[in-house]
Amino acid sequence: MKTVVGKVVVLGHLGVGKTSTITRYVENSFSHQVTPTIGASFFTCKITVQSIPIKMQIWDTAGQERFKALAPMFYRNANAAILVFDITNQQSFDSIKTWVDELKRNVEEAMVLCVVGNKIDLMHERKVSKEEGLKYSNSIGASYFECSAKDDQGVGVVFENIALGLLRMS
Ligand code: GDP
Ligand code: MG
């Protein structure tokens, strides 16, 4: 039986909730104090889409995103990217563009792209509108989602969408 395997890199400003979003999905847990991991770490998970098993290797950064430069091994053979920003932080949204440029410089093959506005539980502090998020995502050919890793809202669909994209590209 066919199995699809894909490497998924998760990018974005420090503190937007990349690690929290991944652990919410992979372990269904949330921590208020996330220990910044040293070096890159990855999680593997399996999901079935249209009866086809998809194995995703999800790569998380570990503080190096602060320097906007990741080791080439981080990008090597990546098939999908999740670009995360914090809806209460305009700068984190603006920096997505920098990450997209980084991706283009480092990955030649076509990728499944997804932009995610996290922390929608802090809606009253929102600085980036859904329209802005959607407009930018459309301009780079990415899907757009909003979620809260804290409240476990909308996280699953992000990864399901990535899995579906990997299946379509396989
Ligand atoms: P990373 O640097 O992008 O990996 O971000 P982290 O996952 O380490 O999260 C940074 C901080 O934001 C931590 O204090 C998290 O508890 C918090 N955080 C992450 N996701 C959410 C969320 O959906 N809502 C709220 N309110 N806080 C969050
Ligand atoms: Mg992190």
Side-chain angles (χ1 to χ4, degrees), residues 68-109:
K68 295 269 156 68
L70 302 173
M73 67 166 238
F74 189 82
Y75 296 105
R76 196 167 297 141
N77 301 321
N79 308 105
I82 302 178
L83 299 146
V84 187
F85 71 95
D86 169 353
I87 64 149
T88 72
N89 180 338
Q90 181 71 45
Q91 199 196 347
S92 76
F93 179 65
D94 298 340
S95 79
I96 296 273
K97 296 180 183 70
T98 320
W99 287 110
V100 172
D101 291 343
E102 268 285 291
L103 270 179
K104 283 187 185 145
R105 260 199 300 276
N106 287 280
V107 186
E108 278 165 26
E109 299 77 22

Side-chain angles (χ1 to χ4, degrees), residues 12-21 23 30-36 60-61 63 65 84 118-122 147-151:
H13 212 70
L14 191 73
V16 296
K18 298 180 296 299
T19 303
S20 300
T21 304
T23 50
F30 180 80
S31 163
H32 287 272
Q33 279 175 307
V34 183
T35 323
D60 190 13
T61 52
E65 67 267 44
V84 187
N118 185 40
K119 308 199 185 181
I120 53 165
D121 55 287
L122 303 175
C147 72
S148 167
K150 184 173 178 228
D151 288 357

